[in-house]
Amino acid sequence: MPGLSLVADTTRCSPEPERTSLHELLDFVLEGARNTPPPLDEAALPLRAETEALPLLCDLAEAAAELAAGRRARAVVRLCLEPDPWELGLERVGRDLLVTVFHGGDVPEIALHERRFEGDALCARLLAAIDRLAPPRSSPLRRDAALAGNDAGVGEHRLPAARRALAAALPFSDDEPGGEPAIVGVEPTGEIPIVIAAEALLRPSQGAVAAQPAVLRADLFSLLFRGKVRVLVGEEARELPDVFIFPFAEQLASLSLESLDAWARRQPYHRRLTVGGAILGVRLHSEGALSLTLGVPRVGRAASADPRVLGPGRGSAFAAAEERAQTWTFPAVDVAALAQGVVAFGRALARSLVRRDRGQTSNLRLFEFRARVRELAERLRELTRNDAKINVAPETYRAFAAAARPQAAAEDTFGRTRLRFTARWIAAIPSLDLRATFLCGDVLVVGSTRELTCIDRRTGECLWRKQTPRAVSVMTPVGLGRLLPDGTLQLHELATGEVAWSARLSPRVGANASGAVVSAPGLPRMLIVSEGTRHLAAVDLYSGEVRWRYAARRGENFRLRRAGKLVVVGSGEPALVALDVLSGEVVWRFCDRLPFASPVAVDHDALFAVAGDGAFVGRGGARLHHLDPWSGEARWTVDLPKHVAPVGAPLLGPETVCVVTHGRRGTGLVGLDRRTGATRFDLTACAATASCLMVDDVVVVNSEAGEIVGVGAHDGAVRYRHVIAGGVEGDRPRRLEPVLRSGALFVPQSEVHVVRPRDGALLGKVPTDLIPDLLRVDERCDVYVAEESGHLAAFAAAPRLSLVQ
């Protein structure tokens, strides 16, 4: 076997790269940043290799040429420093150049600010560095780099062009204005409980910079200016003497927004940071009291006393600041007042910057800041708006609901006997859409990606098939409604599948379509559907005419629940609204700090609604409201436990209301007294995600882990628990909602099990090999099972025996 030899080229790399005039140039420029934290606090510049110095040298030369020629007033070059690249900003002021070294990001770091150099002298050093660093044309290193096409080759090809451009642009002329900074006051307007003002040192726009560019880009360098900030709370005033105002304002807006969200959720919040040469901290207690901390951080004397870093006359001021470094705390600050003051200060700051330099209108950094201030203002307006409305004449709505309330049906004894099922038929439907599959009368309407199919439920025969695009489907008393992605609403007749009418609505963008069907004695048959970004449209089911439109403040996800002649709307905003079904007018409005993003539950003269999105476990902040559904008056309000997140609508029992929760321990139930709101029990029903259904005084929990649990709604006692064996984890159905029919509960698991809800007795099992991703049961207790793979099967309930005494 021949031996292997390793041949290494030792001419291209060395353990210690030789220091060149570029290092000396950067050492000279960054001399004032030596006492800053890493990565600049090192014995030598941490350039990773000499080859990476070539592109940097080219960038510096090209930027200096642009500034010397007067085509630009500012330029930014990335430094090849570790671990993260910093940026070097150059700004021309007459014949001088101001150098700033900073690190961007959410919390910027400024190592060197506006160190002044004579432009010609600095460019002469740069030309000398180019002449010394560029290898001769006949050098093997240059020839090999050009052949390899690496960064060194690219830099060496750029160096001659960059040198020629810089030499041609010199010397710096006196034609450009001096551009010395002037003090600009940033004063908010209006009556504000907390006043935040500033005095900023801003330079006027120069030449081409004043013209608005066509490209939007983030430019933090132009927003790094010093000034002093003054905060006035009541009769107490504090001043931060020398800070970078814009980074300070960015973090102040972010902290105010986070504090406002925590205040709305009644959660504690604490954050403290140093930004722009100032200490900023907020502490919010769960009771709602907020303390605001401001201060000047301690700095090293060596860095603070260098006048080249801080400018003329500032070194002694910062040396004295070290001795008196301290923080000030405003102990009792109203959260809404602080947010109002920050909004006014942010708007005044953005307005001053744009007036001073019109080019800032295309600065993405300023654009994001203004968007954050706008978000803070909208959030503050939502939380502090008190436009609640009480219906002073609720009797007409209460009487209509009482007249339309169905009579209690006699107890059905179906669930007392054993049930047997026989297979009737099976059909294959490619690309079956579970959300567009409905059992309506004697037919099954099945939607798929490209077609709509109608099947006879007894024989499985295909009655008709229509080619249609995918759409959001809803079954109505007069046909199948389908909302297409472009906003077209169509109604298909069940007998033939033909389109009865078509209406044009605004397309729903950015959120799911939702709605409700109105079909009750004494009310017109309508479909209330979400439209556009934040509208609801009520469409007549016979003519397709839009009867009324309602505009919500926010239309993220509409949750609708009809109650008599009212439709209760939750749209993700901190207000619950009840609309008149006939006219669309607002009958009552209930306001809260938290958004109403979950469905509500209505039972006779009681309405229960959960405020709080419940999106994250452990964040808490959810509340349960008990309202009068006809007047909108609150009867009681309770805070739900903070360790859980509510899921879905509350479950209503005879004496209790149960809130289904999801936490770290699994699916739980919180039971509260319907009259007082007192907590009766708080328990974990199962360790996995589950679907819950209230049947009389029992909450039936169907878990995806194969458990069927019955929990007493009165005291939370577990009445029964079944662990369904068989099947693997991938054979769990998509939907776990049980179906109650004739006193028997049909529970989907890997198979369909029939359970008596009051005691959990197993009454039977549907003999199907399909996973019941969708389960439907008709009035005869015939079962229809749909699997997402594209199969649909029907099972008939066999005759049952009854005991005759």
Side-chain angles (χ1 to χ4, degrees):
M1 178 177 180
L4 298 179
S5 300
L6 177 63
V7 179
D9 185 0
T10 60
T11 62
R12 296 193 179 185
C13 60
S14 59
E16 294 292 337
E18 180 183 358
R19 292 186 59 81
T20 65
S21 57
L22 175 62
H23 293 82
E24 298 174 358
L25 174 64
L26 294 180
D27 283 341
F28 172 71
V29 171
L30 304 177
E31 181 182 354
R34 284 300 172 204
N35 295 302
T36 60
L40 296 182
D41 188 14
E42 299 186 12
L45 289 175
L47 295 173
R48 290 184 283 270
E50 186 60 28
T51 56
E52 296 195 15
L54 295 178
L56 174 59
L57 190 59
C58 295
D59 293 339
L60 284 173
E62 292 169 356
E66 292 280 337
L67 297 176
R71 291 188 292 269
R72 301 170 62 184
R74 301 187 189 96
V76 177
V77 177
R78 291 175 65 86
L79 296 177
C80 302
L81 304 179
E82 293 186 3
D84 298 322
W86 284 54
E87 295 180 277
L88 186 145
L90 299 173
E91 183 173 5
R92 178 175 177 177
V93 179
R95 297 177 58 88
D96 296 337
L97 289 178
L98 302 181
V99 179
T100 300
V101 179
F102 61 95
H103 184 281
D106 192 23
V107 182
E109 300 178 34
I110 300 94
L112 187 68
H113 184 247
E114 293 187 354
R115 186 181 182 191
R116 187 180 291 267
F117 295 90
E118 186 180 354
D120 292 333
L122 186 59
C123 289
R125 285 179 173 266
L126 186 55
L127 289 174
I130 293 176
D131 294 336
R132 181 177 174 184
L133 186 61
R137 293 183 179 273
S138 60
S139 171
L141 175 62
R142 179 168 184 168
R143 183 171 57 252
D144 294 343
L147 292 175
N150 55 15
D151 291 342
V154 174
E156 291 171 8
H157 283 295
R158 290 175 55 194
L159 273 179
R163 191 194 189 288
R164 288 193 300 268
L166 179 57
L170 294 178
F172 282 73
S173 64
D174 294 327
D175 298 337
E176 295 294 329
E180 293 299 330
I183 298 178
V184 178
V186 181
E187 296 287 343
T189 58
E191 296 294 332
I192 306 171
I194 296 179
V195 179
I196 306 174
E199 292 182 1
L201 290 173
L202 295 179
R203 286 187 171 83
S205 59
Q206 303 178 26
V209 181
Q212 182 175 354
V215 178
L216 302 179
R217 69 175 185 274
D219 184 11
L220 176 62
F221 177 42
S222 63
L223 299 173
L224 296 179
F225 52 86
R226 292 182 182 271
K228 59 182 179 181
V229 178
R230 184 176 65 258
V231 180
L232 177 63
V233 180
E235 298 181 355
E236 296 291 331
R238 293 292 183 266
E239 184 176 286
L240 300 175
D242 192 6
V243 299
F244 292 95
I245 295 179
F246 186 79
F248 176 82
E250 282 185 316
Q251 294 305 313
L252 184 61
S254 298
L255 265 63
S256 300
L257 183 59
E258 294 172 2
S259 301
L260 199 63
D261 288 336
W263 175 67
R265 297 177 179 275
R266 297 184 180 180
Q267 287 184 313
Y269 175 78
H270 180 216
R271 189 178 178 189
R272 182 185 175 112
L273 53 85
T274 301
V275 57
I279 296 175
L280 177 61
V282 293
R283 180 185 291 273
L284 177 67
H285 302 280
S286 57
E287 296 80 9
L290 181 139
S291 59
L292 175 65
T293 300
L294 301 172
V296 178
R298 296 182 181 272
V299 296
R301 285 185 180 273
S304 61
D306 191 345
R308 293 175 297 182
V309 181
L310 307 177
R314 294 182 181 174
S316 58
F318 265 70
E322 182 195 24
E323 299 176 358
R324 64 174 187 272
Q326 59 180 334
T327 59
W328 308 279
T329 300
F330 300 97
V333 177
D334 184 71
V335 180
L338 175 62
Q340 186 178 355
V342 172
V343 168
F345 174 65
R347 290 174 174 172
L349 178 60
R351 189 164 52 247
S352 300
L353 292 177
V354 172
R355 287 176 179 175
R356 196 70 174 176
D357 185 359
R358 295 298 300 176
Q360 295 291 356
T361 56
S362 301
N363 193 337
L364 287 179
R365 188 90 183 199
L366 181 61
F367 180 83
E368 293 295 333
F369 172 71
R370 298 174 77 171
R372 192 174 306 167
V373 172
R374 193 181 308 112
E375 181 184 1
L376 178 61
E378 293 176 356
R379 184 68 172 145
L380 175 64
R381 184 165 54 252
E382 288 181 356
L383 294 178
T384 57
R385 179 184 293 166
N386 188 13
D387 57 349
K389 178 181 178 181
I390 299 296
N391 183 18
V392 296
E395 295 303 326
T396 56
Y397 296 97
R398 182 178 288 110
F400 181 88
R405 189 173 301 149
Q407 300 294 327
E411 182 181 1
D412 198 326
T413 59
F414 187 86
R416 299 179 181 179
T417 60
R418 297 286 299 179
L419 299 178
R420 295 175 293 109
F421 298 90
T422 58
R424 177 173 287 176
W425 53 262
I426 187 169
I429 301 177
S431 303
L432 184 144
D433 187 1
L434 298 177
R435 295 173 296 180
T437 301
F438 304 95
L439 173 62
C440 184
D442 294 333
V443 298
L444 280 163
V445 180
V446 184
S448 60
T449 304
R450 298 180 179 179
E451 63 183 12
L452 194 65
T453 306
C454 182
I455 301 175
D456 187 285
R457 72 172 188 177
R458 295 183 177 85
T459 63
E461 179 185 357
C462 178
L463 301 179
W464 51 261
R465 180 180 286 111
K466 297 293 181 182
Q467 298 293 326
T468 56
R470 173 168 289 195
V472 178
S473 303
V474 58
M475 185 59 67
T476 70
V478 296
L480 177 67
R482 304 181 78 248
L483 182 62
L484 303 181
D486 62 354
T488 302
L489 179 63
Q490 297 176 344
L491 185 74
H492 292 260
E493 296 179 352
L494 294 183
T496 62
E498 299 294 335
V499 176
W501 52 259
S502 178
R504 183 69 177 179
L505 303 177
S506 299
R508 180 75 168 160
V509 180
N512 296 328
S514 56
V517 178
V518 178
S519 178
L523 294 178
R525 290 183 171 181
M526 296 187 301
L527 175 63
I528 303 176
V529 63
S530 56
E531 179 187 15
T533 56
R534 57 186 186 90
H535 286 80
L536 284 176
V539 183
D540 189 276
L541 288 177
Y542 291 103
S543 63
E545 177 186 2
V546 178
R547 288 178 170 265
W548 52 261
R549 278 187 173 92
Y550 165 74
R553 298 177 190 141
R554 182 187 301 176
E556 295 177 354
N557 286 297
F558 285 102
R559 304 290 186 180
L560 308 182
R561 177 68 164 84
R562 192 181 66 84
K565 284 201 306 180
L566 296 177
V567 55
V568 183
V569 181
S571 59
E573 60 178 308
L576 198 64
V577 181
L579 306 178
D580 190 290
V581 170
L582 298 177
S583 62
E585 296 180 354
V586 176
V587 177
W588 56 260
R589 179 184 291 108
F590 179 79
C591 298
D592 189 84
R593 291 181 186 175
L594 298 176
F596 289 91
S598 301
V600 303
V602 180
D603 182 21
H604 300 294
D605 286 341
L607 184 148
F608 296 90
V610 175
D613 52 10
F616 300 98
V617 177
R619 292 183 61 175
R623 290 192 286 273
L624 178 65
H625 299 279
H626 180 199
L627 309 178
D628 185 327
W630 320 120
S631 65
E633 292 184 281
R635 292 171 178 168
W636 50 257
T637 298
V638 296
D639 293 332
L640 296 178
K642 295 182 178 180
H643 63 277
V644 296
V647 179
L651 305 178
L652 305 183
E655 300 180 2
T656 58
V657 52
C658 296
V659 179
V660 182
T661 64
H662 181 68
R664 295 182 179 89
R665 296 177 296 176
T667 300
L669 295 173
V670 178
L672 303 100
D673 190 276
R674 288 188 59 157
R675 293 180 302 161
T676 63
T679 301
R680 290 196 177 186
F681 57 86
D682 182 3
L683 57 90
T684 300
C686 60
T689 304
S691 177
C692 302
L693 177 68
M694 177 77 74
V695 182
D696 296 331
D697 61 343
V698 178
V699 180
V700 181
V701 181
N702 184 30
S703 167
E704 67 176 6
E707 288 183 294
I708 303 176
V709 186
V711 180
H714 177 72
D715 54 1
V718 177
R719 297 189 179 182
Y720 56 85
R721 183 186 298 269
H722 296 292
V723 179
I724 305 300
V728 297
E729 184 177 355
D731 291 341
R732 301 304 177 191
R734 297 292 185 185
R735 299 183 180 182
L736 298 171
E737 295 84 357
V739 177
L740 180 65
R741 184 69 66 186
S742 301
L745 197 65
F746 295 78
V747 183
Q749 282 289 334
S750 56
E751 298 174 312
V752 179
H753 299 267
V754 186
V755 179
R756 189 161 54 205
R758 70 169 183 270
D759 57 3
L762 296 177
L763 302 178
K765 184 171 64 174
V766 178
T768 175
D769 295 332
L770 302 179
I771 303 301
D773 294 323
L774 180 68
L775 176 65
R776 293 290 181 263
V777 183
D778 63 13
E779 72 280 359
R780 296 184 179 88
C781 287
D782 292 345
V783 178
Y784 306 88
V785 176
E787 189 178 78
E788 196 175 35
S789 62
H791 294 84
L792 181 65
F795 299 87
R800 62 186 186 273
L801 300 177
S802 299
L803 178 62
V804 179
Q805 296 179 352

